[in-house]
Amino acid sequence: MILVTGGLGFIGSHTVVALQEKGHEVLIIDDLSNSTLEVLEGIEAASGTRPKFQELNLQNSLGVVEVFKSHNITGIIHFAAAKAVGESVEKPIAYYQNNLGSLLNLLAEIENSNKPIPFIFSSSCTVYGEATELPISESSPVKPAMSPYGNTKQVGEEILVDTVKAV
């Protein structure tokens, strides 16, 4: 079963449809902070299958543990994150708690599972900071983030690099 966090958001819901059309069983976790349950109906209408759904804020580490106990997670696509640059400047602590806490809880459960679970992290072009040339490519240099949101994505990428090195 593929876990899609933030699966009721715009990109997440389209990803769920594509996965289901390829025959994958999907579990969506979403806290509904930036989406609605009606999106499930749209996913079902588009793909012909209603995915499993659990409302959960991924900062809830015990909830994340329960998800891994209750489901055979074979892959994760992690879209769930607070994403408004301006709001992140006004509420930096909330952004760090949400975006990094969620990532850390998922990675801890992958580690606890003692099995390799493929993980896709939805980052952002904000990790490249103030661009010196356009278009930005993945070979562009990473520069200091211009917002707490961008920094959570930079730090998230660094956490993933460190995690992969430890495996």
Side-chain angles (χ1 to χ4, degrees):
M1 174 174 297
I2 298 176
L3 171 61
V4 179
T5 69
L8 295 183
F10 183 79
I11 297 171
S13 62
H14 285 76
T15 301
V16 170
V17 169
L19 288 167
Q20 290 188 154
E21 287 176 340
K22 295 289 185 182
H24 296 283
E25 186 178 11
V26 176
L27 169 64
I28 294 172
I29 290 182
D30 202 302
D31 69 0
L32 302 175
S33 64
N34 198 25
S35 57
T36 65
L37 281 176
E38 287 75 31
V39 176
L40 279 173
E41 295 167 15
I43 291 170
E44 184 175 11
S47 68
T49 304
R50 189 175 190 92
K52 292 185 175 166
F53 171 74
Q54 183 169 344
E55 183 176 348
L56 177 68
N57 183 315
L58 293 168
Q59 292 180 74
N60 176 344
S61 60
L62 295 177
V64 174
V65 168
E66 190 55 40
V67 166
F68 277 75
K69 284 183 181 176
S70 302
H71 303 281
N72 181 25
I73 305 298
T74 58
I76 299 171
I77 302 176
H78 183 44
F79 292 117
K83 61 180 176 23
V85 171
E87 181 182 63
S88 77
V89 173
E90 296 168 10
K91 301 176 182 179
I93 301 303
Y95 270 69
Y96 285 108
Q97 287 176 327
N98 184 69
N99 294 0
L100 298 177
S102 298
L103 174 63
L104 290 169
N105 286 340
L106 289 168
L107 293 176
E109 285 314 300
I110 291 172
E111 185 177 69
N112 290 338
S113 74
N114 292 315
K115 65 179 182 178
I117 298 176
F119 189 95
I120 296 172
F121 177 67
S122 179
S123 191
S124 168
C125 71
T126 62
V127 302
Y128 299 106
E130 190 71 35
T132 53
E133 61 182 53
L134 295 173
I136 296 171
S137 72
E138 289 190 15
S139 62
S140 296
V142 174
K143 296 180 179 179
M146 303 299 289
S147 69
Y149 163 72
N151 201 39
T152 67
K153 292 301 185 173
Q154 282 184 347
V155 172
E157 288 185 5
E158 292 169 3
I159 289 168
L160 289 166
V161 167
D162 291 341
T163 301
V164 169
K165 285 179 185 176
V167 174

